[in-house]
Amino acid sequence: MASIISIHSFRGGTGKSNIAANLAYVLAQRGRRVGIIDTDVQSPGVHAIFGLRGDSFSRALNDYLLGRAPISEAVYPLGDGSRTGHEYLAGLPLFLIPSSIHASEIAQVLHEGYDVGLLNDGFYTLIDALALDVLIIDTHPGLNEETLMSIAVSDSLCVILRPDEQDYQGTAVTVDIARKLDVPGMVLVANKVPSRVSKDELSAQLEKEFTVPVAGVLYLSEDVAENGSRHVFSAVYPNHAFTRTIEALADRLTGKT
Amino acid sequence: MPSLFDHINRELNDDDSKGITPLELAELPADQRQIMLAMLRDQAGQQDGVARAFLIDKWVGRVADVDGTLNQLVHMGLLIMMGETPNERYRVNLRHKRGSNAGFGLWSVLSDRVPKDRLT
């Protein structure tokens, strides 16, 4: 059985897409067949981390949701070695389903709405057609219908937050909804944590506050900032503390620990 | 007297209010919610629905009245029933996501401006 992992944060700018992309890469490198779908239709971006430009893909999740194409036409095999500068992806069983970055395409989905059931069907069609072991869903921040649908069908939910009061309050809302939706596994990941903050103390504080296990603490990193979503960070810096934490997160979310 | 067109038009427009949103799903009573979530997560049942016999077998002893709960969910319009007794199958009836109230002209104008703005 494939497992569905949603990566979510209540607020934007937490590093959600970056963590989703790196998690997908680490799992694919271990030989898992991994799909990563960008359901952030309003503000898509994960494709950039894998070296795709917005004008380089002709089909996207938008086309499927609007009934213009089967979801299989919006799948981009990242392991085909076609992206210059991203040769480290070559040969990996990693598949991306991007959302369109074109204003008119985003507008059309927002304007017309879509059948939410179609999104759910799409997840399972992808799992079946690509024989996936893991489907990672990069969600839209906050709580909208596609996000709630993603959370509802997930085996695991990874909530990203920064050590910030606004993030804490929003995370409380997400955790509350996820509990009502009976998500089997839920973890927190603290990102962009200042270096003077103790990892153990922060984890203890978050676990007490939300009664959800903390699966990783990622410190604010100039290396990650400098990478600027141009590459999959874990591929470029395999021995970096960030990469080690993503590897531990992958273990946790796939039941290895 | 309303015409056939009025009737059909009203039915079509009413479609947006039928079914359930994921947020409403979270607020259902525990028995109903468990069954609905299990159906959403059932990979095999996504295309043709989940068989009644399978659901009863799976939930008997865990949900007080599986048969009654299924009937309630169908009656509330939250489950779509397919097939005939004794081979009924069910699918979750998810509500269509409503579009934005902003006029499409607004989006078109924005869309047209983006490439021009990038060039300047």
Side-chain angles (χ1 to χ4, degrees):
Chain A
M1 277 292 282
S3 72
I4 300 179
I5 301 170
S6 280
I7 311 293
H8 181 64
S9 64
F10 191 81
R11 299 184 67 236
T14 57
K16 178 175 57 63
S17 296
N18 194 36
I19 289 172
N22 280 275
L23 181 66
Y25 170 80
V26 163
L27 287 169
Q29 223 194 9
R30 293 175 180 178
R32 302 288 191 101
R33 293 184 65 81
V34 182
I36 177 165
I37 182 167
D38 193 348
T39 63
D40 191 354
V41 177
Q42 296 176 45
S43 44
V46 75
H47 58 270
I49 301 170
F50 295 108
L52 272 80
R53 289 179 51 85
D55 53 10
S56 66
F57 45 92
S58 56
R59 290 288 194 201
L61 180 65
N62 309 52
D63 295 297
Y64 169 67
L65 294 176
L66 294 168
R68 295 194 294 235
I71 199 161
S72 57
E73 287 188 14
V75 176
Y76 295 82
L78 297 172
D80 64 2
S82 66
R83 273 154 292 280
T84 308
H86 291 72
E87 286 81 7
Y88 49 80
L89 296 173
L92 292 181
L94 181 54
F95 306 89
L96 172 70
I97 301 88
S99 275
S100 175
I101 194 77
H102 295 293
S104 58
E105 300 283 306
I106 297 169
Q108 197 172 357
V109 173
L110 296 182
H111 181 75
E112 294 179 14
Y114 61 87
D115 181 352
V116 180
L118 206 58
L119 185 62
N120 193 30
D121 291 346
F123 294 154
Y124 291 105
T125 301
L126 288 170
I127 287 171
D128 197 35
L130 301 172
L132 297 179
D133 298 309
V134 181
L135 177 66
I136 294 174
I137 305 173
D138 184 18
T139 64
H140 181 66
L143 295 174
N144 63 10
E145 283 177 49
E146 48 271 48
T147 294
L148 288 165
M149 170 54 61
S150 305
I151 292 173
V153 299
S154 289
D155 299 291
S156 302
L157 170 66
C158 177
V159 185
I160 317 294
L161 74 164
R162 292 160 297 197
D164 177 290
E165 188 55 35
Q166 293 182 60
D167 281 24
Y168 289 166
Q169 293 191 20
T171 298
V173 176
T174 304
V175 166
D176 184 43
I177 295 273
R179 287 219 169 90
K180 286 181 178 169
L181 291 171
D182 300 329
V183 179
M186 180 163 42
V187 296
L188 300 177
V189 170
N191 193 20
K192 302 185 180 180
V193 177
S195 58
R196 69 176 73 95
V197 174
S198 155
K199 184 178 180 176
D200 291 341
E201 282 178 22
L202 179 63
S203 296
Q205 181 199 338
L206 293 175
E207 287 180 358
K208 187 180 173 196
E209 175 92 16
F210 299 107
T211 54
V212 174
V214 174
V217 172
L218 292 160
Y219 283 103
L220 196 58
S221 161
E222 289 213 353
D223 297 327
V224 174
E226 194 179 14
N227 179 55
S229 296
R230 286 190 300 273
H231 284 282
V232 180
F233 187 85
S234 298
V236 182
Y237 294 87
N239 299 313
H240 198 280
F242 177 93
T243 305
R244 297 279 176 245
T245 306
I246 295 293
E247 288 169 346
L249 178 63
D251 290 341
R252 181 71 172 258
L253 292 172
T254 54
K256 278 187 73 182
T257 55
Chain B
M1 186 179 159
S3 66
L4 179 62
F5 173 81
D6 292 333
H7 177 72
I8 292 170
N9 195 35
R10 193 171 54 244
E11 282 295 307
L12 287 173
N13 288 333
D14 276 355
D15 270 356
D16 272 0
S17 63
K18 285 178 184 163
I20 189 167
T21 65
L23 190 59
E24 289 165 350
L25 204 154
E27 299 299 332
L28 287 175
D31 284 356
Q32 294 180 0
R33 191 178 68 234
Q34 283 179 50
I35 289 179
M36 296 282 280
L37 283 169
M39 291 180 66
L40 273 182
R41 291 175 184 148
D42 188 297
Q43 193 173 336
Q46 293 307 312
Q47 296 298 324
D48 303 322
V50 184
R52 186 181 191 98
F54 174 83
L55 286 167
I56 290 175
D57 194 43
K58 182 171 179 176
W59 290 100
V60 72
R62 295 155 76 185
V63 166
D65 175 14
V66 187
D67 221 28
T69 305
L70 285 171
N71 289 337
Q72 267 178 346
L73 290 169
V74 172
H75 185 70
M76 291 158 73
L78 307 186
L79 283 184
I80 299 167
M81 191 170 77
M82 301 172 285
E84 291 179 10
T85 311
N87 299 314
E88 308 102 304
R89 303 182 74 84
Y90 300 92
R91 278 200 71 167
V92 174
N93 186 17
L94 288 164
R95 189 181 304 167
H96 191 280
K97 184 180 166 103
R98 283 173 189 269
S100 161
N101 288 327
F104 198 69
L106 166 72
W107 296 108
S108 304
V109 169
L110 287 174
S111 175
D112 288 346
R113 284 185 63 95
V114 171
K116 289 173 197 160
D117 291 347
R118 276 192 189 145
L119 292 173
T120 54

